[in-house]
Amino acid sequence: MSDDHTHPGLQHHVPLSERAKRAVAIHRLLARKNIVGPDEVRETIDRARRRSPADGARVVARAWTDPTFKTRLMDDAPSAVFELGYRLSRDAGLAVIENTDRLHHLVVCTLCSCYPTSLLGQPPDWYKSFAYRQRAVVEPRAVMREFGLHVDEDVVVRVVDSTADLRYLVLPRRPSGSEGMPEAELAGLVTRDSMIGVGEARKPA
């Protein structure tokens, strides 16, 4: 593992697993060939770690308050979120799907854990679990009830399958009583679960 390039973050007194050794070797090779800069990978990781559901909440609040932005968001989500400073990963698209009084969306990744990390941060453990991935498709209403969300029987529930090529973000219904609230306060009503579909936005205090 000797190399002229010092890999940031290495603790030389801690032995590396074979997988970690392979990752470090690949990183060094890419840096040596000038395919990536020495700090580019770490900067990308740090940027991803800074993402949280607050980012997605900001997008939702803007859509609630700006009909023109909402139209752009529904038609071309990557371009619309870019206006707010969010850059998606190059290999995954984004679609925004709106919950209404008559239609409720629930997002799942049946194969693994594909998720809009650029707007929501890392997926929760339950989203990656086999139980959720299976049951969300077979019995979505039961799953939502376990999260405390009861969807009326006359509301259509549509389960959407997130993939490596296309991630989904739910635009939850704006809660009643939030009329006139500023955008920043509206964002505080938007939860991670409401943007996945297992919950709804909070009601104003």
Side-chain angles (χ1 to χ4, degrees):
M1 294 295 297
S2 61
D3 196 289
D4 293 337
H5 171 63
T6 300
H7 192 279
L10 277 183
Q11 297 174 295
H12 295 286
H13 63 285
V14 177
L16 297 178
S17 67
E18 290 304 314
R19 181 176 296 181
K21 290 178 182 178
R22 190 180 308 119
V24 171
I26 291 172
H27 183 200
R28 287 174 167 167
L29 179 62
L30 292 173
R32 189 185 308 125
K33 292 179 175 293
N34 294 319
I35 297 174
V36 299
D39 298 322
E40 188 174 346
V41 172
R42 178 162 296 278
E43 289 169 359
T44 299
I45 293 172
D46 289 344
R47 184 165 57 249
R49 286 175 175 166
R50 287 194 298 269
R51 295 302 185 203
S52 78
D55 297 307
R58 182 178 171 222
V59 173
V60 170
R62 177 63 59 85
W64 281 348
T65 57
D66 185 341
T68 303
F69 175 80
K70 177 182 174 182
T71 297
R72 292 196 300 274
L73 182 67
M74 303 302 293
D75 291 344
D76 185 356
S79 296
V81 300
F82 183 75
E83 296 175 23
L84 299 184
Y86 300 114
R87 186 185 301 275
L88 307 178
S89 60
R90 300 172 187 172
D91 56 349
L94 175 70
V96 174
I97 45 182
E98 183 179 12
N99 282 349
T100 69
D101 293 338
R102 309 302 300 169
L103 176 64
H104 185 92
H105 294 92
L106 177 67
V107 180
V108 64
C109 177
T110 55
L111 292 179
C112 53
S113 59
C114 295
Y115 188 77
T117 55
S118 298
L119 294 173
L120 298 185
Q122 294 302 307
D125 289 342
W126 58 259
Y127 182 86
K128 298 180 284 185
S129 71
F130 178 75
Y132 176 78
R133 286 156 41 206
Q134 180 186 55
R135 295 183 59 229
V137 175
V138 176
E139 47 181 357
R141 291 178 186 273
V143 169
M144 290 186 290
R145 283 196 298 269
E146 291 171 13
F147 280 87
L149 175 61
H150 297 264
V151 177
D152 291 342
E153 290 300 324
D154 59 348
V155 175
V156 175
V157 173
R158 182 174 296 163
V159 179
V160 293
D161 194 1
S162 187
T163 69
D165 297 322
L166 182 61
R167 316 290 170 86
Y168 291 96
L169 179 77
V170 173
L171 178 62
R173 292 185 301 160
R174 181 170 177 171
S176 59
S178 65
E179 299 79 6
M181 290 179 63
E183 189 175 310
E185 291 185 16
L186 284 172
L189 302 178
V190 184
T191 66
R192 176 199 63 197
D193 289 0
S194 71
M195 292 181 282
I196 299 173
V198 295
E200 290 184 322
R202 300 186 185 98
K203 290 180 171 57

